[in-house]
């Protein structure tokens, strides 16, 4: 009787997997430092998929600038721009295109956002978007219960039944692969909460990814951070 090769999924990152069916090159993977896609080396199929994804992503992230930018902060490595529901259609369309491009990575349903009571923040450097924060006004949120160690990444949320009053909600926080671990997300959320006039420990996060959970804990300074 012929034995069937046992297959398993190898998790390379939170949202991308490679099926391990015993192929020799399963450990020969690389991550594109620009678009963030993980692919098998010397794979014609992966190379083709990567080329299309890479071009599409970097085209969306290209940002030559606007004549009437609302610049909130400037740094040696970039600037932060805010866009509101009252800004021009072209500005909002650009934000919407970026959100559409990153929603898959953040596990959001396509077009699951609204400009109503929302503010968008872009971190821009070298004529490209390096980060985005989508914030919205909220009224009541819940506090996470459980893990106390900063490195813990619970698969599911356990929240208090009681609601907590809040005003600043972070619907999306994203940093481009080429600018991660460079304080981009923190600076974006800083600008968002400044607009609401709240402290870091009162910022609420909307269903964050595993990396987002770690960021929420770190930013809030507590494992019992707020979510909505």
């Amino acid at each position: 009787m012929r034995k069937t090769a046992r297959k398993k999924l190898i998790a390379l990152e939170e949202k991308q997997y490679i099926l391990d069916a015993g192929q020799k090159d399963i450990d020969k993977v690389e991550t594109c430092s620009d678009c963030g896609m993980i692919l098998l080396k010397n794979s014609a199929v992966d190379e083709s998929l990567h080329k299309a994804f890479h071009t599409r992503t970097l085209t969306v992230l290209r940002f030559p600038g606007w004549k009437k930018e609302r610049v909130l902060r400037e740094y040696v490595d970039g600037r932060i721009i805010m866009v509101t529901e009252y800004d021009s259609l072209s500005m909002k369309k650009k934000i919407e295109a970026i959100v559409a491009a990153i929603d898959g990575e953040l596990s959001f349903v396509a077009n699951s956002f609204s400009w109503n009571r929302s503010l968008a923040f872009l971190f821009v450097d070298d004529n490209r978007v390096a980060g985005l924060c989508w914030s919205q006004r909220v009224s009541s949120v819940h506090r996470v219960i459980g893990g106390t160690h900063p490195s813990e990444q619970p698969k599911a949320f356990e929240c208090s039944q009681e609601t907590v009053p809040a005003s600043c909600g972070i619907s999306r926080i994203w940093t481009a692969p080429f600018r991660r671990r460079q304080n981009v997300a923190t600076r974006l959320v800083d600008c968002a909460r400044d607009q609401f006039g709240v402290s870091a420990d009162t910022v609420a996060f909307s269903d964050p990814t595993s990396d987002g959970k770690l960021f929420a804990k770190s930013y809030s300074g507590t494992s019992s951070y707020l979510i909505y």
Side-chain angles (χ1 to χ4, degrees):
M1 181 176 179
R2 183 180 178 182
K3 293 183 179 179
T4 302
R6 190 175 181 179
K7 299 179 181 181
K8 62 180 178 179
L9 283 174
I10 294 181
L12 300 173
E13 281 191 353
E14 183 184 7
K15 299 303 175 187
Q16 191 173 351
Y17 297 84
I18 286 182
L19 182 63
D20 181 3
Q23 59 266 48
K24 296 180 180 180
D25 295 332
I26 189 65
D27 58 337
K28 297 181 179 180
V29 298
E30 59 185 354
T31 303
C32 177
S33 60
D34 289 324
C35 70
M37 181 176 174
I38 299 173
L39 62 153
L40 283 173
K41 296 179 180 179
N42 303 318
S43 167
V45 174
D46 274 21
E47 286 292 348
S48 178
L49 291 172
H50 172 239
K51 183 177 181 180
F53 179 80
H54 185 99
T55 301
R56 182 173 67 252
T57 300
L58 296 194
T59 297
V60 171
L61 297 182
R62 191 174 299 126
F63 188 82
W66 294 316
K67 292 182 178 179
K68 296 182 179 180
E69 293 181 347
R70 187 183 290 103
V71 179
L72 299 184
R73 297 187 184 182
E74 291 191 80
Y75 309 93
V76 294
D77 61 343
R79 67 188 186 280
I80 293 180
I81 300 168
M82 182 174 73
V83 179
T84 76
E85 60 183 306
Y86 304 108
D87 283 319
S88 69
L89 181 61
S90 61
M91 288 183 175
K92 291 191 290 184
K93 286 294 184 183
K94 179 63 176 180
I95 298 294
E96 291 168 12
I98 297 170
V99 171
I102 68 176
D103 268 0
E105 183 177 343
L106 298 179
S107 299
F108 274 93
V109 177
N111 301 318
S112 61
F113 66 93
S114 168
W115 279 101
N116 185 36
R117 302 175 61 170
S118 298
L119 299 173
F121 303 86
L122 293 181
F123 192 102
V124 180
D125 75 342
D126 295 331
N127 294 323
R128 61 185 178 179
V129 175
L132 176 140
C133 175
W134 186 283
S135 68
Q136 53 193 180
R137 184 168 294 280
V138 296
S139 56
S140 61
V141 299
H142 296 271
R143 190 174 294 281
V144 171
I145 300 174
T148 57
H149 193 279
S151 64
E152 291 185 357
Q153 298 187 52
K155 294 182 179 179
F157 287 112
E158 183 181 354
C159 308
S160 62
Q161 294 296 318
E162 297 180 357
T163 58
V164 179
S167 59
C168 178
I170 303 300
S171 171
R172 294 163 174 80
I173 180 67
W174 172 85
T175 304
F178 52 81
R179 287 302 306 270
R180 287 173 185 168
R181 301 188 183 281
Q182 297 180 43
N183 210 33
V184 171
T186 296
R187 286 181 279 181
L188 283 167
V189 179
D190 280 347
C191 280
R193 69 180 180 85
D194 281 353
Q195 297 300 310
F196 291 88
V198 300
S199 58
D201 60 339
T202 62
V203 174
F205 297 84
S206 176
D207 195 17
T209 62
S210 293
D211 285 341
K213 293 170 188 175
L214 292 178
F215 175 77
K217 292 177 183 179
S218 175
Y219 190 86
S220 302
T222 175
S223 295
S224 299
Y225 54 92
L226 303 176
I227 67 169
Y228 68 103

